[in-house]
Amino acid sequence: MMPFERIRLRLRAALRRRAADRELDEEIRFHLEREQEKNVSAGMSDTDAWRRAYVSFGGVQQVREAHREVRGVPWLADLTSDVRVALRALVRRPALAGAAVITLALGIGANTAIFSAVDAAILRPLPFPDAGRLVMLGENNPEFNWHMESVAGANYLDWKEQVGAFQDIAAYTSGTGHGTLTGAGDPQLLTLQAVTGNFFTVLGGRAELGRGFVDDETWDTTHATIVLSDHAWRTHFGADPGVVGRTIHVDGRPTQVIGVMAADFTFPSSTVDAWYTQRWDRASRTEVWFRRAHWLRAIARLKPGVSVDEANAAFQVVVRRLQQQYPVTNRIMGAGMVPLHTYLVGDTRTALLVLLAASGLLLLIACANVGNLMLVHANGRAPEVALRLALGAGPWRLTRQVLTESLVLSSLGGAAGFALAWLGTRAITLLAPARTLPDSGVHIDWSVLAYTLAITTACGVLFGIGPALWSARRAPGDALKEGGRGRHQGQRMRRWGEALAVAEIALALMLLSGAGVLVRSLWRLAHVPPGFDPRRVLAVGLELPQARYDTTPKVNAFDDALLARARGLRGVTDAAIVSHLPLTGTEWTSSFSIAGRRPGEYGSEVAHREVGPDYFRLMREPLYAGRTFNVSDRDRSPKVVLINDVLARRFFAGQNPIGQRLTFNKVPDSSSVWGTIVGVVGSEHQISLAAEPRIEIFTPQAEDPSGDIYLMVRTTGDPMALLPHLRSILHDIDPEQAIVETHTLDEIVATSMARARFLTTLLLVFAAVGLALAVVGVYGVMAQLAQRRTREMGIRLALGAPARAVRWLIVRHALGMLVPGLVIGTVAALLATQALRSVLYHVAPTDPVTFVAVPLTLALSALVASWLPAAQASRADPAQALHVE
Amino acid sequence: MPASSPSADVLRGTLDLLILKTLALEPMHGWGISQRIQHVSKGVLDVNQGSLYPALQRLEQRGWVGSDWRTTMNNRRAKYYRLTTSGRRALGEETASWRRYVSTVELILGTP
């Protein structure tokens, strides 16, 4: 017979063990009967003949065992029998098994769902060849508190040419732009990304059609070329392979499509429809602005064999040289590098790791809970185990049986948890704020499956190991005496159960404290006044293309027409134009100086926005002094500016700022343009609710108008209802102009808190489930205790003890678990919440309110959970209690 | 269980061979095989009859013996074992090897 065939037969035999056993039994019976008949015919009595037949056969049981041994794969047979026994035991106690499976499913499901997010956002490598050698470069300026900020064009070019440790450096403009695609039906808005010519080469992006850019094209100002993303190629060009080489019109300018990138290349964002080159003029390299303006993100590829540290050392040499060479712009301009993966993961890392830790705590609570259930289960089976021990079953065999049982249980929980995790990832994807998770999304893949398997097994071992070891360690005699009566657990088991309850209380306290400080932080954040009234305001983003709006009068004519029409809409109370929205961190920044003061007194970075008339009235912001802008400010000379009150308080304390003059140069010279302060307005949070308002200078929008503007309208009704009207107004004024983005200010405020809310919501859910599990766990332990002591209670009551005293006995026992649980949990929580420090807003990780409220809540819940069994015990009828066996 | 005699120990190792030889005559059930071995060996080889069954299972798994349930002459169900083709070949090889073994032992015992 072929070996394979033999294995198949053995496996089948092992699986069909019961059938084979029956067959053998029939064979043996036949044999014994024939032998008996033979003996009878030889003259023996029936009984003698039967006994004799038995003796000459040898031990029937031994033959059976030997037969099985030959027949099957023994460990497999044992395993299948163990699993079958375990399943049968669980089916006999459906409530217990169900509770355990649900508990585990919650723990494993939460953990797996969070892990899949961690896997997608942190663990998965970037989709670039040899991505480990890519680093992000950024500029650091201690004066402005810059860390890894955008890079100046001239600095980028010097690094590219002078740092030998890099194979090459590519750069892309920080932030995307938009262009209107015309000539193919309706105008369509494209999201555009400006890059250097070597962008695709450095990252290792592959074109699926045509080609990517080459290095020299950074400087090509004559040919407009574009590379499409796979997505844009499919949605806007019907996946037409003939698109390469074709000339399309972007913002009215003829542009040649030279390639289409492969679908997996979506850097820096999946929203990018097309890339175009920087098209820098070689003459600008020597101009000051080219080293003063910071607008690039630079990515370097390390030479093979060069470590990040070595490359950084070489990089710093060049950075220091540039500081000396260009003191005007670079005197204290440092630079740093971070592995690209680390840079892109960014803040998400903390949030996700906090969630992973929280779901881990939840899983541990679930394990402790199931561990307790397993004790109840083991207790119920003590007589059976004792009997098997007495009959000579090996302790290892019994240990393995109990362990198999817990593994079967954890597998069922794991399977249910995996299904739950699948739903969980959907929920996380929906709940997660933008840019928290990668574009590719969160998926259940093989690594997630492997993770689930690992934690499932670990859980099974964790909650099963106690009962598994002790069930077999007991001396059979003792076990029979005790277990036979089914009243007592072993001392060790009882201790284990109580230790589990203590652990549950401590773990729940950690989870609740984490959620507690986060809730306090979110509450504080939600009560931060943003500096404006966000209700019923719609903001519509527009990008007027340079090609068609090349002069100030053209832009102003467009803005004026738009505002006039918008103000005429029904329900609109105010309309205004602003260059950047608050709470988005997108405003310009600059250095500045005040006339009549020495440089160095004010080495600060100032925010800068352009606003039109009525902006501050629309935003319902206070005017502290002077006036705001009006229509005639656009042509005024000397120029006028507004400052916010943070700037006024910091730089004009005790003085009247009105009439003072400012310029956007740190060291003013003859070319500096000065503006006179005509008003002090309220302060908006420019970056986020959590970041204090920065000092800010406003200039009149119409003076030197940017084409990138937001039209703001405040209405008496639903702001979104205005959108169709605004769209038709826009079409009337300029049919080729599309709306780039639309927000309500309420939405902007909500987005600013989105990440904090996401983290807090998930942690709160985990904490609530954890608390529920812990309370159920404590209840379970106390209920068992009360049941165990029913007889004792009965005697006490019979002897005249008041019910109150009896209840106190039980509650005192609960306190014995509660107090150590609270102490351990508080100490651990105080340490654990330190990890939250970076995500907390104006709340200490050791927030006293949280650390009083949480232990109190937990203590109260646990006492209620132990009061119920205590109350029941104290109502025990003495006569009945004494009969309880 | 009767105390095992030296002869029985030897038999245990060669039980497979005896079963094959017995089945070479005709298909037989377990009890029949035990009776036959006892009878032919004139009662010298009196072993635990039970040990026959694991041995039969082993032979069956090697593919030397096949089995099926049949009705006996007294109209009772019994499992009959029969020699397969490869069993028949194995019997030849095992017999030759046994003979070699015995003659070698003979040779050793025969030398003074």
Side-chain angles (χ1 to χ4, degrees), chain A residues 1 6 9-10 13 23-24 26-27 30-31 33-35 37-38 53 55-59 62-63 66-67 70-72, chain B residues 1-2 29-31 34-35 38 47-51 53-54 57-58 60-63 69 72 74 76-79 81:
Chain A
M1 200 189 303
R6 197 178 305 161
L9 203 70
R10 274 180 167 238
E23 219 169 81
L24 178 66
E26 192 178 344
E27 238 185 319
F30 173 80
H31 184 112
E33 281 168 10
R34 292 301 304 269
E35 190 71 13
E37 282 165 23
K38 193 186 88 178
V55 168
S56 50
F57 190 82
Q62 278 90 333
V63 169
H67 200 260
V70 175
R71 205 163 60 203
Chain B
M1 198 189 293
H29 47 64
W31 185 73
S34 76
Q35 296 308 305
Q38 213 174 351
V47 284
N48 288 340
Q49 294 167 1
S51 59
Y53 290 93
Q57 177 71 20
R58 194 160 48 239
E60 193 169 3
Q61 265 171 355
R62 266 183 222 154
W69 288 84
T72 65
N74 317 357
R76 285 161 66 177
R77 251 166 63 82
K79 193 175 186 180
Y81 295 88

Side-chain angles (χ1 to χ4, degrees), chain A residues 538-840:
Chain A
L538 183 67
V540 169
L542 300 169
E543 289 180 16
L544 305 180
Q546 193 89 50
R548 290 189 293 118
Y549 291 89
D550 51 349
T551 64
T552 298
K554 280 188 195 170
V555 179
N556 281 342
F558 173 88
D559 291 352
D560 291 346
L562 190 63
L563 282 171
R565 292 285 304 272
R567 284 195 184 105
L569 285 175
R570 205 214 309 229
V572 171
T573 57
D574 297 282
I577 280 174
V578 66
S579 59
H580 303 89
L581 293 180
L583 293 180
T584 54
T586 52
E587 77 288 350
W588 295 304
T589 59
S590 175
S591 49
F592 78 108
S593 56
I594 300 167
R597 298 199 191 178
R598 278 182 294 118
E601 273 183 45
Y602 36 74
S604 260
E605 196 180 34
V606 70
H608 172 211
R609 277 187 284 169
E610 294 176 350
V611 297
D614 297 343
Y615 174 76
F616 297 101
R617 195 180 74 202
L618 182 143
M619 295 298 266
R620 306 279 189 264
E621 284 178 41
L623 173 68
Y624 291 109
R627 62 174 180 88
T628 56
F629 293 138
N630 56 50
V631 188
S632 57
D633 282 332
R634 65 174 63 159
D635 313 313
R636 206 176 288 275
S637 182
K639 296 176 182 305
V640 294
V641 298
L642 298 173
I643 58 172
N644 66 357
D645 71 321
V646 178
L647 196 155
R649 272 184 276 130
R650 192 175 306 164
F651 293 96
F652 298 102
Q655 303 172 38
N656 183 8
I658 307 294
Q660 304 257 20
R661 292 186 307 134
L662 298 169
T663 183
F664 290 113
N665 291 126
K666 188 173 165 191
V667 182
D669 53 33
S670 56
S671 70
S672 296
V673 179
W674 294 89
T676 307
I677 301 171
V678 294
V680 179
V681 294
S683 304
E684 296 178 348
H685 285 253
Q686 297 95 338
I687 298 172
S688 68
L689 287 172
E692 292 300 311
R694 321 176 65 177
I695 55 172
E696 182 158 21
I697 299 172
F698 301 94
T699 53
Q701 205 273 335
E703 188 180 274
D704 178 20
S706 152
D708 297 353
I709 53 164
Y710 289 92
L711 168 68
M712 316 274 285
V713 283
R714 182 180 286 277
T715 165
T716 50
D718 173 17
M720 285 311 274
L722 285 179
L723 192 57
H725 302 292
L726 289 177
R727 208 167 255 145
S728 79
I729 289 174
L730 190 63
H731 189 263
D732 290 349
I733 299 172
D734 179 351
E736 285 192 14
Q737 190 55 47
I739 289 175
V740 173
E741 47 183 299
T742 313
H743 309 281
T744 65
L745 282 191
D746 277 328
E747 170 202 327
I748 296 281
V749 172
T751 305
S752 177
M753 289 190 290
R755 190 168 287 191
R757 185 173 287 140
F758 173 64
L759 184 61
T760 308
T761 308
L762 280 187
L763 212 60
L764 207 54
V765 169
F766 291 167
V769 176
L771 175 66
L773 289 181
V775 168
V776 168
V778 170
Y779 173 79
V781 171
M782 294 315 298
Q784 268 178 273
L785 176 95
Q787 198 193 4
R788 207 163 53 226
R789 292 176 72 173
T790 304
R791 184 186 166 92
E792 180 200 334
M793 298 299 155
I795 295 173
R796 282 174 189 273
L797 288 170
L799 293 178
R804 190 164 22 88
V806 168
R807 281 197 295 271
W808 170 241
L809 273 175
I810 302 281
V811 172
R812 197 177 60 187
H813 200 109
L815 284 175
M817 295 184 290
L818 188 57
V819 172
L822 290 180
V823 170
I824 296 169
T826 306
V827 172
L830 283 170
L831 295 173
T833 49
Q834 294 298 327
L836 296 172
R837 192 178 280 279
S838 70
V839 294
L840 291 181

Side-chain angles (χ1 to χ4, degrees), chain A residues 265-417:
Chain A
F265 190 90
T266 57
F267 195 80
S269 151
S270 62
T271 58
V272 170
D273 291 315
W275 296 265
Y276 64 101
T277 53
Q278 297 284 357
R279 298 170 197 164
W280 288 329
D281 185 347
R282 281 192 198 271
S284 45
R285 250 199 103 161
T286 51
E287 290 174 25
V288 176
W289 74 265
F290 208 63
R291 205 176 287 281
R292 177 165 283 156
H294 295 257
W295 77 96
L296 295 173
R297 290 276 164 209
I299 296 176
R301 182 174 281 277
L302 304 183
K303 277 194 175 145
V306 175
S307 73
V308 173
D309 287 343
E310 288 162 357
N312 195 31
F315 181 44
Q316 293 307 328
V317 171
V318 174
V319 169
R320 276 195 295 275
R321 190 158 65 216
L322 294 177
Q323 287 179 341
Q324 287 156 8
Q325 212 169 340
Y326 303 101
V328 173
T329 49
N330 285 34
R331 194 175 56 81
I332 49 168
M333 189 64 71
M337 61 164 77
V338 176
L340 184 59
H341 186 257
T342 313
Y343 178 83
L344 295 177
V345 168
D347 316 338
T348 308
R349 189 187 174 81
T350 314
L352 285 179
L353 291 184
V354 162
L355 286 174
L356 191 63
S359 65
L361 291 178
L362 181 62
L363 185 58
L364 284 178
I365 295 177
C367 279
N369 231 341
V370 176
N372 253 320
L373 288 173
M374 287 299 285
L375 278 186
V376 178
H377 188 48
N379 195 29
R381 285 199 351 197
E384 178 206 326
V385 170
L387 199 64
R388 285 179 68 179
L389 271 173
L391 289 177
W396 165 234
R397 189 77 186 69
L398 286 175
T399 301
R400 203 171 58 181
Q401 172 67 53
V402 177
L403 213 51
T404 307
E405 229 168 84
S406 47
L407 284 171
V408 164
L409 207 53
S410 74
S411 302
L412 291 173

